[in-house]
Amino acid sequence: MSKFQIYPAIDLRDGKCVRLFQGDYTQETIYGDSPVEMARKFVEAGAEWIHMVDLDGAKDGIRINDQVVIEAAKLSAKVQVGGGIRTREDIQHYLSNGVARVIIGSLAIRNPELAVSFIEEFGADQIVIGIDAKNGMAATEGWIETSGQAATEVADYFAQKGAKHFIYTDIATDGTLAGPNITANKSLVGAESAQVIVSGGIGSLEDVRNVKEASAQSNIAGVIIGKALYEKRFTLEEVLSC
């Protein structure tokens, strides 16, 4: 297992840095007009990775805030991005412009064969399978629709096809600061080579410590932190040192 990684999150909507509550586009809080400046602050605080999501792209199914992501990727931290990535050209666009990893979410549910072909073409280290779940069932299109597939079934399928990186978001906890669903993350996928990044619900340093502790006996390899940083529950420096 590689080093446990902290991923400060930047969600993009209308070119701004925002957070949603439980994936609800009508419950949005704007935290800044310059996502790139936010990314720079994270880098200055010691971030090695930054997690970025194009919420407009996720909802509409096309790249919309990609230039902001590419600008952030020029900083010293590595960037992984999701939202609106549907085609080979989308992936190539990001990877050829300095983005380290591309997250495939809705596409992985709707067209798993195509997603597998991307893993084979671009490599398992550059493709992340993003699984967002409502009551254990995978959701798509910016969390607006729920598929008929269990999150664990999706993860196991892609693990068998060579996927290495997974992000699991429990939509019920996202943006709530009420604590992550560690149990669901630990049981997401059985393959030893798989690495799961926890997303949703982090509200305290204790939450981060709990996730880190769980990583010692599971596939959990990192955690995404968003709202708690913006609400100043703690600083990124504190997280990186805990």
Side-chain angles (χ1 to χ4, degrees):
M1 182 68 70
S2 60
K3 171 187 175 183
F4 184 84
Q5 194 65 246
I6 303 296
Y7 297 82
I10 298 176
D11 287 359
L12 306 165
R13 194 172 186 206
D14 295 329
K16 296 180 173 61
C17 183
V18 308
R19 299 301 294 176
L20 304 182
F21 180 80
Q22 295 182 330
D24 187 344
Y25 281 71
T26 66
Q27 297 190 63
E28 173 192 86
T29 303
I30 298 173
Y31 287 103
D33 292 330
S34 177
V36 175
E37 185 58 34
M38 186 68 69
R40 184 173 288 108
K41 290 179 180 178
F42 287 150
V43 171
E44 291 172 352
E48 297 179 7
W49 279 89
I50 295 173
H51 173 81
M52 303 186 79
V53 177
D54 180 355
L55 292 175
D56 296 309
K59 188 176 182 180
D60 296 342
I62 57 174
R63 300 190 313 264
I64 294 179
N65 293 289
D66 54 309
Q67 292 306 313
V68 175
V69 176
I70 289 169
E71 190 65 27
K74 295 177 182 177
L75 302 172
S76 59
K78 296 178 182 178
V79 170
Q80 64 181 19
V81 64
I85 297 166
R86 301 289 189 272
T87 67
R88 181 188 182 281
E89 289 71 27
D90 291 332
I91 297 172
Q92 187 65 47
H93 174 68
Y94 279 122
L95 295 181
S96 64
N97 281 288
V99 174
R101 287 186 199 148
V102 172
I103 304 161
I104 297 176
S106 297
L107 174 65
I109 306 299
R110 291 203 327 270
N111 195 337
E113 293 83 6
L114 182 60
V116 169
S117 75
F118 291 152
I119 295 170
E120 294 171 345
E121 178 178 356
F122 296 103
D125 276 325
Q126 292 188 294
I127 302 295
V128 182
I129 302 300
I131 302 175
D132 308 322
K134 288 182 178 179
N135 300 317
M137 306 303 287
T140 63
E141 314 307 330
W143 303 351
I144 295 171
E145 300 177 14
T146 302
S147 75
Q149 300 181 64
T152 52
E153 293 176 1
V154 175
D156 283 333
Y157 170 82
F158 282 104
Q160 292 171 12
K161 297 295 184 179
K164 179 180 178 182
H165 300 287
F166 295 84
I167 295 173
Y168 182 84
T169 304
D170 179 20
I171 296 173
T173 66
D174 191 75
T176 66
L177 303 172
N181 188 338
I182 295 177
T183 300
N185 278 274
K186 289 174 66 175
S187 60
L188 179 66
V189 59
E192 290 185 9
S193 59
Q195 298 185 10
V196 179
I197 302 170
V198 176
S199 175
I202 296 295
S204 68
L205 289 175
E206 187 64 23
D207 289 336
V208 178
R209 293 189 189 100
N210 289 339
V211 174
K212 194 171 184 178
E213 181 178 333
S215 72
Q217 291 88 31
S218 70
N219 291 337
I220 293 174
V223 61
I224 293 168
I225 307 173
K227 188 174 182 179
L229 290 171
Y230 297 105
E231 295 287 339
K232 302 188 188 317
R233 295 292 185 96
F234 46 74
T235 66
L236 182 56
E237 290 91 340
E238 289 174 320
V239 176
L240 294 171
S241 64
C242 78

